[in-house]
């Protein structure tokens, strides 16, 4: 079993709010990733989109592109063809970069980019027809990805229609294991009051990609009491790197390894880099995780 440790650029420069980390360059980001000891990265908003340029820059730091986020909008009327077209462009880029995974998330009707409270009734609840459109659309993308030797890993996320455990269960029960796999995100699981161990035990064979994100319970309590929106929760520090919050990563990692997990584990913590210096936190997480990952 081989675990590859990577780190997401969102620790340096936030994709949802580019104001967070706007002063940090792409070059600083990947240099500090390598300095902290990581060998992989996901795609960030400051990364060049010219394949030769990005490949050269990452290779110079000993980094590999592991995956990238892709938003689908299958639950919104008239978005099927547009989502499919964007996916083809995205897949071509990822394939040219040598990545093996694409992190898909249905963002139709999502509220994570709005001012609405993130843990609230405003979160989308898909109708039977919307679920059907989502499942059909994901299968279409999954077949295309499979033909090009890439895998779709579904990323459940706060503020979207697939966030709580029963929603993850429904998606897994109604999609093909050959076409749709699961991205285990420990932070978003905790945000939804899900025990990551439950997901590991239920979907061990479908978890092909992992985001390691910790949570600060005292901030989560504040998010709930003050009805914060998603980005205010991020700025308040609800998420942090493994070893800096309350989650039991030793048990989670041991459970994954027990079920023969191998591949990428990506450290991800959406934080304000002015409050949480990225290099310092990246090193902290790397040193912490090395206690359990050899």
């Amino acid at each position: 079993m081989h675990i590859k440790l990577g780190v997401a650029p969102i620790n340096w420069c936030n994709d949802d709010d580019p104001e967070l980390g706007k002063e940090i360059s792409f070059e600083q980001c990947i240099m500090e990733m390598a300095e902290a000891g990581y060998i992989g990265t996901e795609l960030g908003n400051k990364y060049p989109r010219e394949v030769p340029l990005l490949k050269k820059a990452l290779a110079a730091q000993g980094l590999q592109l592991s995956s990238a986020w892709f938003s689908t909008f299958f639950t919104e009327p008239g978005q099927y063809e547009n989502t499919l077209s964007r996916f083809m462009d995205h897949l071509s880029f990822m394939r040219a970069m040598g990545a093996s995974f694409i992190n898909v998330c249905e963002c139709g009707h999502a509220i994570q980019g709005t001012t609405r409270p993130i843990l609230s009734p405003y979160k989308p609840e898909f109708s039977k027809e919307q679920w059907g459109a989502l499942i059909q659309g994901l299968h279409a993308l999954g077949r295309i990805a499979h033909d090009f030797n890439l895998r779709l890993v579904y990323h459940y996320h706060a503020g979207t229609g697939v966030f709580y455990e029963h929603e993850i269960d429904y998606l897994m029960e109604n999609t093909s294991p050959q076409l749709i796999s699961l991205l285990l995100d420990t932070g978003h699981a905790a945000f939804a009051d899900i025990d990551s161990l439950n997901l590991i035990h239920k979907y061990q064979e479908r978890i092909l990609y992992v985001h390691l994100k910790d949570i600060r319970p005292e901030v989560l309590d504040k998010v709930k009491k003050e009805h914060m929106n998603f980005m205010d929760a991020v700025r308040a520090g609800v998420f942090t790197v493994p070893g800096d919050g309350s989650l039991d990563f030793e048990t989670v990692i041991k459970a994954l390894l027990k079920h023969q997990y191998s591949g990428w584990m990506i450290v991800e913590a959406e934080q304000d880099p002015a409050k949480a210096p990225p290099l310092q936190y990246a090193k902290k997480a790397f040193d912490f995780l090395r206690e359990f990952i050899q």
Side-chain angles (χ1 to χ4, degrees):
M1 292 177 288
H2 179 57
I3 301 299
K4 298 182 287 186
L5 268 181
V7 63
I10 203 167
N11 301 297
W12 283 261
C13 311
N14 196 284
D15 288 345
D16 295 314
D17 181 3
E19 288 296 306
L20 295 180
K22 65 179 180 179
E23 71 286 351
I24 299 175
S25 67
F26 162 67
E27 291 77 13
Q28 177 186 339
C29 179
I30 60 172
M31 284 178 61
E32 291 186 350
M33 288 177 174
E35 182 179 341
Y38 297 95
I39 61 170
T41 177
E42 295 185 348
L43 197 63
N45 62 60
K46 293 189 178 180
Y47 284 38
R49 293 307 194 265
E50 298 79 16
V51 169
L53 181 60
L54 182 55
K55 271 190 172 180
K56 182 179 179 181
L58 294 182
Q61 300 297 334
L63 294 170
Q64 178 184 351
L65 189 68
S66 61
S67 185
W69 173 281
F70 181 78
S71 298
T72 62
F73 293 89
F74 291 122
T75 59
E76 294 187 357
Q79 285 294 318
Y80 180 88
E81 294 297 336
N82 180 54
T83 298
L84 194 65
S85 176
R86 289 189 301 104
F87 181 76
M88 293 304 298
D89 291 339
H90 187 74
L91 181 143
S92 296
F93 179 83
M94 297 303 290
R95 186 166 179 254
M97 287 299 304
S100 299
F101 300 95
I102 295 177
N103 308 346
V104 293
C105 179
E106 174 58 29
C107 293
H109 311 283
I111 65 165
Q112 74 265 34
T114 74
T115 58
R116 289 178 169 178
I118 194 62
L119 299 174
S120 74
Y122 295 112
K123 189 193 82 66
E125 300 288 337
F126 295 149
S127 66
K128 182 178 179 180
E129 291 74 19
Q130 289 171 328
W131 272 114
L134 173 57
I135 290 164
Q136 179 186 12
L138 289 177
H139 280 155
L141 301 190
R143 291 185 196 99
I144 296 168
H146 182 270
D147 289 344
F148 289 97
N149 202 31
L150 276 83
R151 298 298 300 264
L152 294 191
V153 286
Y154 194 91
H155 190 327
Y156 51 89
H157 196 286
T160 73
V162 184
F163 177 48
Y164 293 113
E165 191 163 2
H166 70 277
E167 295 164 336
I168 298 170
D169 290 341
Y170 189 87
L171 185 71
M172 291 292 99
E173 290 164 4
N174 290 279
T175 52
S176 165
Q178 285 72 42
L179 300 179
I180 312 298
S181 300
L182 184 64
L183 185 157
L184 178 72
D185 187 302
T186 57
H188 279 280
F191 206 55
D193 293 323
I194 300 170
D195 186 340
S196 289
L197 292 176
N198 288 344
L199 297 180
I200 294 169
H201 295 322
K202 283 191 288 189
Y203 305 116
Q204 54 191 266
E205 296 180 355
R206 294 183 74 171
I207 294 173
L208 297 187
Y209 198 84
V210 175
H211 278 172
L212 298 176
K213 185 194 283 113
D214 214 335
I215 202 156
R216 295 184 175 100
E218 69 281 3
V219 181
L220 181 57
D221 287 342
K222 184 179 180 182
V223 170
K224 294 175 179 178
K225 290 175 183 176
E226 298 184 9
H227 307 289
M228 290 185 182
N229 64 50
F230 183 67
M231 285 312 302
D232 282 349
V234 168
R235 294 184 193 97
V238 70
F239 296 124
T240 185
V241 297
D244 192 52
S246 63
L247 299 186
D248 181 1
F249 283 93
E250 181 177 7
T251 301
V252 166
I253 291 169
K254 283 182 176 178
L256 286 166
L257 296 180
K258 178 183 178 182
H259 293 302
Q260 310 299 310
Y261 180 85
S262 64
W264 288 107
M265 291 187 179
I266 305 294
V267 170
E268 187 189 46
E270 298 166 74
Q271 300 191 90
D272 183 348
K275 298 177 181 177
L279 178 57
Q280 175 186 329
Y281 277 77
K283 283 182 173 179
K284 180 174 186 173
F286 187 88
D287 292 342
F288 171 76
L289 291 170
R290 275 303 179 194
E291 297 180 22
F292 320 120
I293 302 170
Q294 301 301 324

